[in-house]
Amino acid sequence: MEELRNRAKQLLEAKTVDVVIGYGETLNNKIKAVFIRKPEDAVKLVYDERCTQNLGVYLTKHEVKHFGKPAIVASVSTMRTVLQLCSEKQVKDDGVLVLGVTLEGKFLEFPTFKTVETFMEKGVQPIPAKDLELMAKIETMSLDERWAFWQEELQKCTKCYACRASCPMCYCNRCMVDYNQPQWISVPSTEIGNLEWHLMRAMHLAGRCVNCGECGRACPQEIPIHLLTFKASEEAQNQFGAVAGLSSTMPSTLSSWKPNDKENFIQ
Amino acid sequence: MIKLLKKSSFEIFFKNLQTQGKTIYAPKNNGKKIEFSKIDNFADIVFDYIKSNQSTKEIVFPRYHKVFRYTKQADDTVVLQDFSADSVPETVVIGQRPCDAVGILALKAIFETDIADKPFTARFNKTSFITISCTKSDENCFCTSSGLNPGSTEGSDILLTPIENGDYYAEILTEKGTKILEANASLFEDSPEIDKNKYLAKVEVRFDNKIIHEKLNTIFDHETWVEQSLQCIGCGACAYVCPACACFDILDEDNGRSGFRYKCWDSCGFGNFTIHTSGHNPREVQSQRWRQRIYHKFSYMPKREHVFGCVGCGRCTDVCPVNMNIMEHLQTINAL
Ligand code: SF4
Ligand code: SF4
Ligand code: SF4
Ligand code: SF4
């Protein structure tokens, strides 16, 4: 942690970056995101097992972008976020400095996104056992049971959009659900409205979800909503061999086309 | 009026209310969270809990409800079918917390200032609130900083305070409460007046909401709003669980010939809440939305509606995905 604080201080002193996005403590010993802009504030940075939020969500936040060039304390999920955001032209290679934390908890600074890509070749963060278990259980369900499972879960959804807000890939200035002319998705929290919303979001995250699990963690109703995007991404991988967040230049899985694609309707 | 309701009489009381045709809402475990739900079996009610995940506001202000229907006739005239109070059942809420009760008073102030909101008024008038005082609290509760306490009576028709042996000290507070008492007279025994404080949870006072109210007159442009809210990601989680948040959207759904207009929850924390048709957004960034949340609750509402828009339940802190803690933020404002 000292290492991180010292490095952050140096970076701010040398004006290599304008802000360090990292974790700090609240008055109640909880963890919150902090945005360090003064070298002397670098001591506020902490890193321990309580630091689970994917800070990548802040890279596209208006007020944070306004500070200038960020360095970001990045878990493996966040590193994947940065690469994916770059491939979607939301951040530039020299626009973000990645202060990585490996799965073993070691600090590693990445001067370029290429070096992050190389690091990713060692493997991505594992999906938590609890999620794997529930996914496996859902797989074994009959269609009717699966439908009932999701109906039961989704009727709890209030459409607070904490899942969307916490998702680093849901950075759209105007989300599909916010359109009213025409209106694509039924706005209120009703059976059909909730179903439309979550199917739409899962489709939008297919091939883009970096498996950070933030949406599920954010949900005040504890709906395992992240399983939908995990599954959609697994399908994207099976179908197209594309895994999100491994490359800063990968074309978008669902909205790009290759001459050797197995579907030929577009040719 | 003071009475005693024995623990052993509670189930009979519940069944009586059912026989009297009441729809009953009470805290129930949905497998993950304690939520207020329609209750058919007394055994489903959870008494040992601190607070529900969602507040009881949904009972009087549902997340989605139709306000009227319209149908175009063959001759192109339009027939309107207004919201009818008859569609609302006689309801009893059992076991909400004193802060929830006051949250509903805050909603009442919002929905009944100037022109009364028909659906809200119908639901409020047909609902009786039997609140249960808190004997336990959690780290995010701050009712005592909000002018309330774990045994506050405001907003309740009957307040039950758990005393020895699981029995309840019952304060009958309103006409609605008296009606319930009269219909179940044999179950409520006479009781002397007692000091209920010793049974209540102890909640430390952290700030004074009246001081916050004063401070807000001068700190609109303070840098604290940005500092407090950089981490806020602008979801609706805090507003939706808040017993006193009342933002809503009004929309139509129709097929060209017939349809309906409905209301559904919305939040001033969403980026596009204030966006104009022109594209201009007067609350462009999250800090302005966070400031609005605090000003609405602690400045504008007390000025206009004579109630605070925050009752100190701490639910917003409970659910915030990025650990925004309203109590800490209010302490900071208090100290400015
Ligand atoms: S966070 Fe949960 S309740 Fe909120 S919109 Fe997403 S799934 Fe629904
Ligand atoms: S759900 Fe889709 S449209 Fe909405 S913010 Fe996410 S990616 Fe964008
Ligand atoms: S603002 Fe937060 S603490 Fe205050 S009443 Fe609403 S949910 Fe409770
Ligand atoms: S304070 Fe928390 S719950 Fe409220 S809008 Fe911000 S991130 Fe969402």
Side-chain angles (χ1 to χ4, degrees):
Chain A
M1 207 153 73
E2 268 328 296
E3 202 185 334
L4 174 67
R5 288 175 178 169
N6 291 337
R7 185 61 185 139
K9 186 159 176 265
Q10 275 173 5
L11 288 168
L12 290 166
E13 273 166 353
K15 301 207 187 321
T16 315
V17 299
D18 301 294
V19 55
V20 178
I21 307 174
Y23 302 96
E25 262 182 352
T26 68
L27 300 177
N28 291 316
N29 304 319
K30 295 260 167 57
I31 292 295
K32 63 170 185 180
V34 291
F35 304 84
I36 308 287
R37 282 147 285 156
K38 295 190 206 123
E40 64 270 27
D41 286 342
V43 291
K44 292 185 186 158
L45 288 168
V46 298
Y47 194 88
D48 58 35
E49 64 291 337
R50 293 170 301 165
C51 303
T52 49
Q53 192 192 354
N54 180 354
L55 300 176
V57 72
Y58 296 112
L59 290 172
T60 51
K61 184 173 167 167
H62 189 98
E63 282 159 303
V64 177
K65 283 207 283 197
H66 191 73
F67 291 138
K69 180 170 172 174
I72 186 164
V73 177
S75 63
V76 175
S77 321
T78 308
M79 289 188 237
R80 286 180 69 185
T81 303
V82 174
L83 293 182
Q84 186 63 24
L85 285 174
C86 181
S87 79
E88 298 180 12
K89 316 267 186 296
Q90 298 304 311
V91 298
K92 286 206 195 95
D93 194 349
D94 57 356
V96 182
L97 181 68
V98 177
L99 303 174
V101 189
T102 67
L103 293 174
E104 298 75 35
K106 274 226 189 67
F107 290 104
L108 260 191
E109 191 171 323
F110 295 94
T112 61
F113 287 178
K114 263 272 151 291
T115 56
V116 183
E117 287 176 3
T118 312
F119 175 77
M120 280 305 159
E121 285 165 12
K122 286 197 213 153
V124 297
Q125 82 282 18
I127 293 180
K130 198 169 136 252
D131 291 339
L132 287 176
E133 227 170 85
L134 186 52
M135 277 166 97
K137 193 174 141 203
I138 298 170
E139 301 275 353
T140 61
M141 290 178 184
S142 69
L143 216 53
D144 287 343
E145 288 167 340
R146 224 183 283 175
W147 178 251
F149 173 84
W150 284 110
Q151 285 290 308
E152 166 67 22
E153 288 294 342
L154 294 185
Q155 51 99 5
K156 296 177 202 147
C157 173
T158 58
K159 285 205 169 168
C160 70
Y161 300 127
C163 45
R164 176 184 69 180
S166 64
C167 171
M169 290 304 141
C170 272
Y171 52 73
C172 307
N173 277 333
R174 202 162 173 200
C175 173
M176 280 277 289
V177 294
D178 295 331
Y179 281 89
N180 51 7
Q181 284 181 346
Q183 184 181 297
W184 301 104
I185 304 290
S186 174
V187 176
S189 156
T190 57
E191 197 176 308
I192 185 75
N194 290 355
L195 192 67
E196 283 177 350
W197 154 233
H198 288 294
L199 289 181
M200 185 271 282
R201 183 165 177 275
M203 283 309 288
H204 286 192
L205 272 302
R208 303 176 56 235
C209 167
V210 294
N211 292 85
C212 65
E214 272 304 314
C215 50
R217 247 193 316 277
C219 178
Q221 310 297 100
E222 274 179 41
I223 305 171
I225 210 66
H226 54 299
L227 299 190
L228 291 179
T229 54
F230 282 16
K231 185 68 193 167
S233 285
E234 189 187 299
E235 284 301 317
Q237 181 176 1
N238 293 342
Q239 296 293 325
F240 308 104
V243 179
L246 299 186
S247 149
S248 59
T249 49
M250 180 180 82
S252 155
T253 309
L254 290 197
S255 51
S256 64
W257 175 82
K258 290 195 211 107
N260 58 351
D261 273 349
K262 59 185 178 192
E263 280 78 17
N264 58 5
F265 66 91
I266 206 164
Q267 289 170 350
Chain B
M1 206 184 318
I2 301 298
K3 291 281 174 186
L4 180 84
L5 178 65
K6 283 260 172 66
K7 185 185 183 189
S8 51
S9 305
F10 215 118
E11 186 163 357
I12 311 167
F13 178 41
F14 174 85
K15 288 188 172 144
N16 281 359
L17 292 170
Q18 277 184 319
T19 338
Q20 290 153 16
K22 312 283 189 195
T23 296
I24 300 171
Y25 283 88
K28 187 178 167 183
N29 191 333
N30 74 6
K32 288 175 183 168
K33 304 267 178 178
I34 304 293
E35 298 286 20
F36 274 77
S37 317
K38 259 188 211 157
I39 304 280
D40 297 321
N41 300 313
F42 180 73
D44 288 341
I45 303 180
V46 176
F47 286 97
D48 185 18
Y49 83 113
I50 295 179
K51 68 193 154 196
S52 53
N53 182 48
Q54 295 279 329
S55 74
T56 47
K57 92 169 157 192
E58 194 156 3
I59 300 164
V60 285
F61 173 40
R63 59 176 95 152
Y64 162 72
H65 58 277
K66 300 186 174 102
V67 287
F68 60 76
R69 294 171 172 283
Y70 45 86
T71 320
K72 214 175 194 180
Q73 307 295 300
D75 63 358
D76 274 1
T77 55
V78 175
V79 177
L80 275 186
Q81 198 190 341
D82 203 356
F83 171 85
S84 159
D86 296 341
S87 63
V88 178
E90 288 284 341
T91 303
V92 176
V93 176
I94 297 176
Q96 68 171 357
R97 295 310 180 194
C99 56
D100 292 328
V102 182
I104 288 179
L105 289 185
L107 295 179
K108 186 168 159 57
I110 292 175
F111 284 121
E112 295 189 347
T113 300
D114 302 334
I115 300 168
D117 178 280
K118 250 192 231 174
F120 178 86
T121 303
R123 290 194 174 90
F124 180 84
N125 289 345
K126 285 192 165 180
T127 307
S128 305
F129 298 96
I130 304 178
T131 307
I132 300 183
S133 304
C134 301
T135 53
K136 289 189 281 188
S137 61
D138 66 31
E139 55 174 357
N140 295 334
C141 294
F142 61 95
C143 54
T144 50
S145 307
S146 308
L148 304 170
N149 68 67
S152 293
T153 53
E154 295 98 311
S156 300
D157 296 307
I158 296 178
L159 179 69
L160 302 176
T161 301
I163 54 169
E164 284 82 12
N165 312 320
D167 295 340
Y168 294 95
Y169 177 69
E171 295 168 80
I172 320 297
L173 299 156
T174 62
E175 206 178 301
K176 280 188 210 165
T178 310
K179 279 203 185 125
I180 292 180
L181 172 71
E182 283 165 357
N184 300 279
S186 64
L187 299 175
F188 287 84
E189 300 172 17
D190 288 337
S191 162
E193 201 160 318
I194 58 164
D195 174 16
K196 66 184 183 191
N197 276 319
K198 66 172 177 180
Y199 301 103
L200 301 177
K202 304 281 169 283
V203 180
E204 195 189 324
V205 182
R206 318 277 188 137
F207 62 86
D208 179 348
N209 62 355
K210 297 190 189 59
I211 293 182
I212 306 268
H213 179 70
E214 285 301 314
K215 286 257 157 88
L216 292 181
N217 287 328
T218 55
I219 57 167
F220 193 78
D221 293 316
H222 201 280
E223 63 196 20
T224 195
W225 305 115
V226 175
E227 282 311 316
Q228 292 188 7
S229 65
L230 278 170
Q231 84 207 77
C232 172
I233 51 176
C235 63
C238 50
Y240 285 12
V241 296
C242 176
C245 271
C247 290
F248 59 84
D249 197 1
I250 296 186
L251 293 125
D252 281 13
E253 245 170 53
D254 67 31
N255 57 16
R257 303 266 345 148
S258 68
F260 53 86
R261 178 157 301 176
Y262 64 92
K263 257 186 188 166
C264 64
W265 289 354
D266 204 342
S267 167
C268 64
F270 289 138
N272 57 5
F273 184 75
T274 43
I275 204 162
H276 295 178
T277 318
S278 65
H280 170 62
N281 192 346
R283 281 185 222 132
E284 226 183 339
V285 288
Q286 203 57 32
S287 54
Q288 295 167 332
R289 301 172 200 131
W290 169 249
R291 177 175 65 190
Q292 161 65 20
R293 181 169 177 81
I294 298 298
Y295 267 79
H296 192 211
K297 291 179 176 301
F298 291 88
S299 180
Y300 312 146
M301 279 183 66
K303 278 185 190 153
R304 278 200 311 240
E305 281 114 18
H306 313 291
V307 288
F308 278 90
C310 169
V311 298
C313 69
R315 278 192 180 85
C316 48
T317 307
D318 296 340
V319 300
C320 177
V322 299
N323 287 340
M324 288 277 277
N325 184 318
I326 193 170
M327 185 167 72
E328 283 184 14
H329 289 325
L330 291 167
Q331 282 174 277
T332 309
I333 296 166
N334 195 65
L336 284 179

